[in-house]
Amino acid sequence: GTASGEQSGRLIILEVCRRWGGTKRNPERAVTVVTVYILLSEPMLGFVSWVYATTHANGESKWSFLFSLTDLKSIKRNKEGMGWSYLVFCLKDDVKLPALHFHHGDSKLLIKCLEKHVVLNESPQDKRILLVNSQNKSLSQSFENLFDESSYGLLQVSLESKRRKNFRGKLKKDPYTVTMGRFSKVTNYIFDSFRLSDPSSQRRPPSEMADFLNDAIPGLKINQQEEPGFEVITRIDLGKQPEVSRREPVSAEEWAKNMDSEGRILNVDYIKQLIFKGGLCHTLRKEAWKFLLGYFPWNSTKEERANLQKRKTDEYFRMKLQWKSVSEEQEKRNSRLRDYRSLIEKDVNRTDRTNKFYEGEDNPGLILLHDILMTYCMYDFDLGYVQGMSDLLSPLLYVMENEVDAFWCFVSYMDQMHQNFEEQMQGMKTQLIQLSTLLRLLDSGFCSYLESQDSGYLYFCFRWLLIRFKREFSFQDILRLWEVMWTELPCQNFHLLLCCAILESEKQQIMDKHYGFNEILKHINELSMKIDVEYILCKAEAISMQMMNCKELPQAVSEILGIESSSVTPDSDTGEDESGAVLSCPTSLYQSVSTPVIAANGTRDSTQQMSETQSLTPA
C-alpha cells in the first residue's frame, strides 16, 4: 500500500472488534467491528491506527486513535484461558488506550508483526505485560523513567519504582504539570521521530527530511549532500552578539522635563526608551506604571487622569460591594464563589510573606491583596481566580500603596496574561513553542542536547512564563524587570528572549556536566534568586539586536518578534538567498543616553558615555 500517495510502505489490515456490552434489550449498544491499520513506512517509524469500520449515528468514531511506535511503552495481554484475547497499549506518558478484544483470536499475529519493528520483553513482575525495549536510548527513555537519575539505559523496571510512583502521583495532582505533560508528548514525538541511532538502516531520504524539518521549523536551511550517510543541516548565521550596556534608572527630574504644563507626556517613545535602558527610580513607579500598564493614557492631562481615577474608584467599590454583600447562606449556594474565596485565602497567606509590606499576622497589605483578588472575580467571573495570580498582584499593590489603583493596574496586567490562566492554557502552549523556535535559531546545538535528554519541550521554563519570572528574581529585581518588559521594546515577546538569555548563560554548565533530565530540572529550579537581572537584560537585548540585524531571519521568528520582513525563502539545495530581508525595528533604541552605564558583565563604568544623545532628546 501507500501512505498519502507519497511514501511507499506496508499496510497490514486485521479485523478485530471491541465489545460494547450490547444486550437484547439494548441492541443499539451492540458489538462494533473495528479495523486495525498498521502503517510501517520504514523501520522503527511505524504508526498504529485503530479506525472504526462502523461509526455512531452522528458520524463520530469514539474509540479511534493513532500513535507512533516510538511512543509505545508496554502491551498488556489477557490471562490465558480467561475469555477473549485482548491487548491494551500503554504509551510513554502513561496513557492507556482502550482494550482491543480479538473475538476470533489472532492477537499473537499482531504481536508477531510488532516484534519486527520493536523489541518486546516480558516484564519480570507480570508475564502478561510486554515491555518495549530498544537499543536506541531515545526510544526507550520515557517521561516517567527520566525522573529517576539512574534510568539512563534501556527501559527497565526500577527498584525505586515505588518512589517514582509516589512522585508521579503528586505530579498528576498539579493541573499545570498535567497539562504540560500532555503537551510535551506532541513535541517529544516530533523530536523522537528524527533522532534515530542507525543512520544506514533508519535514515530518511534527504529530501523527505528537509521537508519534515522545514515544516517543524520554518526558515531552516538544509543543504543535502551527495555523499551517502551524511546530511548537513546549516543553521542561519546570526553573527556575533553585540556588546550592550544599560544606563541609570530614569530620575524624577528626567520624567518632569518630558511633561508639559498640563501634565501630558511630550515624547512617549523617548520615555519608553529611557525606561527600557535603565528602568525607573522607585519614587516614579507609582505614577509611571499606570502609563506603562495602560491604566492612564499617555496623552492624557493631569485633570483627565484625576477624573478617570474618580470614575474607576466608584466602579471598583461597586464591584467590591457585590461580593461583600453576599451572605453566608447565599455563599453556601454559590460553589464557584466559595471555591474562589477559599483558594484566594490560601494563596494570600503565603504570598511574599518575607517582604515587610506583607509580613506578620493581620497585615493590612494581606487584607488588601485578598479584597482586590475577590473583586477581580466580580470583574471577570468566568476566569475568577487561578493560582499564580496573587504573584502578579503583589508587586503592583506594593508599588501603588492604594487599593483602587492596584486593582486597575492588575486588570491591565491580566489583560496581557489572561491566556496563561485559562483552562486550556493556550497561551502557555504557544509561548513554549515560540521559545523553542527562538532557542533553536539561537543555538541549535544546545537545543539538540536538550532534546537528547527529553528536555526539548522546555517544561522547566513553565514557571518563568506563567508568572513572568516572579519567583526567579528578588522582589526589587522583579520591579525592574517588569517595567522594562512593559515598554514593549525592543520587540514583541521580549520575555521569550529573556528566557533564551538565561538558558544560554547556563548552557555550558548543563552540557559540560552532561546533565540529564533530572539534573536540568533541578539546576534550573535552583537558579531562583541567583540571576543577575541587569546582566540578563543586557544579554536579552543583545540577542534581540543579533536577530534584528540578521538578513535571513526565518519568517516564523519575524512573526514571533513582530519584525516586518520580506525575503525569498532560501533554496534548500544551494543555501543561497535571492534577496535580503528588510527589517523594521526601532533602531533609535540602540542609540544611547548620556549617563553612567552598567556593562553586560555587571560592572559600572562612570566614564563611558552613550553616543548620539541628540537623537533621543524630546521634541
Side-chain angles (χ1 to χ4, degrees):
T2 59
S4 303
E6 297 175 1
Q7 296 175 315
S8 63
R10 287 169 290 167
L11 187 65
I12 300 173
I13 302 178
L14 300 173
E15 187 176 276
V16 298
C17 59
R18 175 175 179 81
R19 184 171 180 80
W20 278 64
T23 64
K24 292 181 179 179
R25 294 182 180 180
N26 297 289
E28 71 278 3
R29 299 191 63 188
V31 171
T32 304
V33 177
V34 180
T35 303
V36 183
Y37 298 90
I38 306 176
L39 173 61
L40 301 166
S41 59
E42 63 181 24
M44 298 301 295
L45 275 178
F47 291 82
V48 179
S49 179
W50 316 92
V51 186
Y52 265 121
T54 59
T55 60
H56 296 290
N58 60 6
E60 296 179 355
S61 298
K62 181 178 180 182
W63 298 100
S64 299
F65 56 84
L66 168 73
F67 68 90
S68 166
L69 293 184
T70 59
D71 291 330
L72 184 60
K73 175 184 175 183
S74 64
I75 304 172
K76 185 176 180 180
R77 300 171 293 183
N78 63 298
K79 194 171 182 179
E80 289 189 12
M82 297 293 290
W84 288 318
S85 60
Y86 68 83
L87 297 175
V88 177
F89 290 86
C90 180
L91 305 185
K92 289 182 180 179
D93 56 0
D94 286 339
V95 171
K96 289 185 178 180
L97 301 175
L100 294 167
H101 295 262
F102 294 75
H103 292 197
H104 302 289
D106 292 336
S107 62
K108 292 181 180 179
L109 177 61
L110 178 56
I111 295 296
K112 186 176 180 181
C113 173
L114 292 175
E115 284 180 330
K116 295 178 182 179
H117 307 282
V118 292
V119 179
L120 299 175
N121 294 325
E122 284 187 354
S123 167
Q125 277 74 27
D126 189 346
K127 292 184 178 181
R128 293 186 301 163
I129 296 177
L130 296 175
L131 300 177
V132 177
N133 206 337
S134 173
Q135 294 179 351
N136 187 331
K137 175 182 174 182
S138 67
L139 297 179
S140 60
Q141 282 184 323
S142 66
F143 186 79
E144 171 194 357
N145 293 333
L146 285 167
F147 282 122
D148 183 4
E149 295 180 7
S150 64
S151 300
Y152 295 108
L154 301 177
L155 188 63
Q156 57 182 305
V157 178
S158 172
L159 295 175
E160 295 181 284
S161 60
K162 183 176 181 180
R163 180 179 64 82
R164 293 206 312 275
K165 183 178 180 181
N166 291 337
F167 179 75
R168 196 165 62 247
K170 294 178 182 178
L171 189 68
K172 288 183 178 179
K173 291 180 181 178
D174 184 349
Y176 301 135
T177 303
V178 171
T179 301
M180 295 317 300
R182 292 180 181 273
F183 174 58
S184 70
K185 175 178 176 291
V186 179
T187 311
N188 279 336
Y189 163 68
I190 294 174
F191 294 143
D192 282 344
S193 63
F194 56 82
R195 198 168 70 220
L196 303 174
S197 61
D198 184 356
S200 62
S201 64
Q202 300 170 7
R203 188 176 67 254
R204 287 175 178 266
S207 59
E208 183 184 329
M209 179 61 88
D211 293 340
F212 187 76
L213 289 177
N214 279 322
D215 287 342
I217 312 157
L220 185 66
K221 297 172 74 173
I222 300 178
N223 292 338
Q224 298 168 32
Q225 304 295 314
E226 293 296 328
E227 183 178 356
F230 290 88
E231 186 172 280
V232 179
I233 300 175
T234 306
R235 300 293 175 178
I236 294 171
D237 183 14
L238 293 176
K240 186 179 179 181
Q241 280 185 14
E243 292 186 6
V244 173
S245 300
R246 290 185 57 74
R247 53 156 280 158
E248 293 287 351
V250 178
S251 65
E253 183 181 2
E254 287 176 303
W255 180 266
K257 282 183 178 179
N258 200 48
M259 191 174 285
D260 68 13
S261 58
E262 293 185 330
R264 292 188 186 88
I265 304 296
L266 293 172
N267 190 328
V268 176
D269 291 339
Y270 170 71
I271 281 293
K272 284 185 175 182
Q273 290 167 11
L274 293 183
I275 296 171
F276 175 79
K277 294 297 293 185
L280 294 157
C281 67
H282 189 68
T283 55
L284 272 179
R285 284 177 173 143
K286 186 178 294 187
E287 181 178 5
W289 278 23
K290 295 168 188 171
F291 289 94
L292 288 170
L293 286 166
Y295 175 32
F296 284 172
W298 285 98
N299 61 349
S300 60
T301 64
K302 286 182 180 178
E303 183 179 357
E304 289 169 342
R305 293 194 291 272
N307 291 333
L308 175 66
Q309 281 182 299
K310 184 178 179 180
R311 294 196 307 273
K312 290 296 186 181
T313 299
D314 292 341
E315 187 176 350
Y316 173 77
F317 283 107
R318 282 199 303 272
M319 288 187 291
K320 184 174 181 178
L321 185 62
Q322 290 175 356
W323 66 267
K324 279 280 192 180
S325 60
V326 174
S327 67
E328 291 185 9
E329 288 298 318
Q330 285 179 300
E331 191 166 314
K332 288 179 181 179
R333 296 186 293 272
N334 191 331
S335 61
R336 290 186 67 185
L337 182 62
R338 192 168 63 246
D339 291 343
Y340 288 155
R341 185 193 295 273
S342 174
L343 193 55
I344 288 170
E345 289 174 353
K346 185 186 298 181
D347 281 2
V348 162
N349 286 325
R350 58 191 182 190
T351 300
D352 292 323
R353 297 306 302 274
T354 57
N355 188 303
K356 290 184 178 180
F357 191 81
Y358 297 109
E359 70 181 3
E361 299 297 326
D362 300 322
N363 187 300
L366 295 179
I367 297 172
L368 291 179
L369 207 61
H370 170 274
D371 288 359
I372 292 171
L373 291 171
M374 284 297 298
T375 305
Y376 185 79
C377 291
M378 298 295 105
Y379 175 84
D380 188 347
F381 206 82
D382 287 339
L383 180 63
Y385 178 79
V386 181
Q387 277 186 306
M389 288 166 58
S390 62
D391 281 287
L392 300 183
L393 172 60
S394 171
L396 298 175
L397 180 58
Y398 170 83
V399 167
M400 295 300 153
E401 298 179 309
N402 176 280
E403 182 178 1
V404 175
D405 289 342
F407 172 81
W408 290 111
C409 285
F410 178 65
V411 167
S412 297
Y413 200 12
M414 281 302 301
D415 287 344
Q416 302 175 28
M417 305 291 289
H418 201 280
Q419 279 195 319
N420 283 14
F421 297 96
E422 292 171 1
E423 186 175 357
Q424 300 301 320
M425 304 191 75
Q426 187 57 47
M428 293 300 303
K429 298 174 185 178
T430 300
Q431 289 174 84
L432 283 169
I433 292 172
Q434 291 175 335
L435 176 57
S436 179
T437 302
L438 294 174
L439 189 62
R440 179 166 294 280
L441 175 67
L442 184 66
D443 195 326
S444 60
F446 185 41
C447 257
S448 297
Y449 178 82
L450 293 175
E451 291 160 15
S452 72
Q453 304 304 322
D454 281 358
S455 299
Y457 51 89
L458 306 178
Y459 165 74
F460 45 78
C461 298
F462 185 86
R463 188 175 67 187
W464 298 359
L465 300 172
L466 181 70
I467 51 176
R468 287 294 192 273
F469 307 99
K470 171 60 167 55
R471 299 185 187 178
E472 316 313 317
F473 293 89
S474 67
F475 195 86
Q476 291 302 319
D477 282 351
I478 210 66
L479 305 183
R480 170 76 71 246
L481 189 71
W482 282 5
E483 64 199 12
V484 168
M485 289 194 293
W486 291 337
T487 64
E488 299 180 340
L489 294 174
C491 57
Q492 282 182 184
N493 292 310
F494 183 65
H495 67 288
L496 298 181
L497 297 183
L498 288 167
C499 293
C500 289
I502 297 172
L503 292 175
E504 191 176 57
S505 300
E506 301 304 316
K507 175 189 72 172
Q508 186 171 354
Q509 182 172 345
I510 290 172
M511 294 183 70
D512 287 353
K513 295 187 177 180
H514 306 291
Y515 283 170
F517 178 89
N518 279 347
E519 292 90 350
I520 293 172
L521 189 61
K522 182 174 182 289
H523 178 72
I524 296 298
N525 283 337
E526 290 177 349
L527 291 177
S528 179
M529 304 300 159
K530 298 177 184 177
I531 307 173
D532 184 333
V533 69
E534 295 294 339
Y535 171 79
I536 290 301
L537 282 170
C538 283
K539 193 166 184 64
E541 184 182 352
I543 293 172
S544 72
M545 294 172 67
Q546 193 180 18
M547 291 187 175
M548 287 177 176
N549 292 333
C550 177
K551 295 181 179 179
E552 300 177 315
L553 200 66
Q555 183 64 31
V557 175
S558 298
E559 290 174 358
I560 292 170
L561 300 181
I563 302 171
E564 295 178 6
S565 65
S566 58
S567 61
V568 176
T569 303
D571 190 293
S572 60
D573 291 323
T574 63
E576 295 177 354
D577 193 357
E578 296 179 9
S579 67
V582 179
L583 303 181
S584 173
C585 60
T587 53
S588 62
L589 175 64
Y590 303 113
Q591 299 168 349
S592 326
V593 191
S594 58
T595 52
V597 298
I598 298 172
N601 60 9
T603 59
R604 187 178 298 272
D605 185 352
S606 60
T607 60
Q608 181 181 358
Q609 301 295 315
M610 303 179 82
S611 61
E612 302 184 27
T613 309
Q614 299 302 319
S615 64
L616 290 180
T617 304

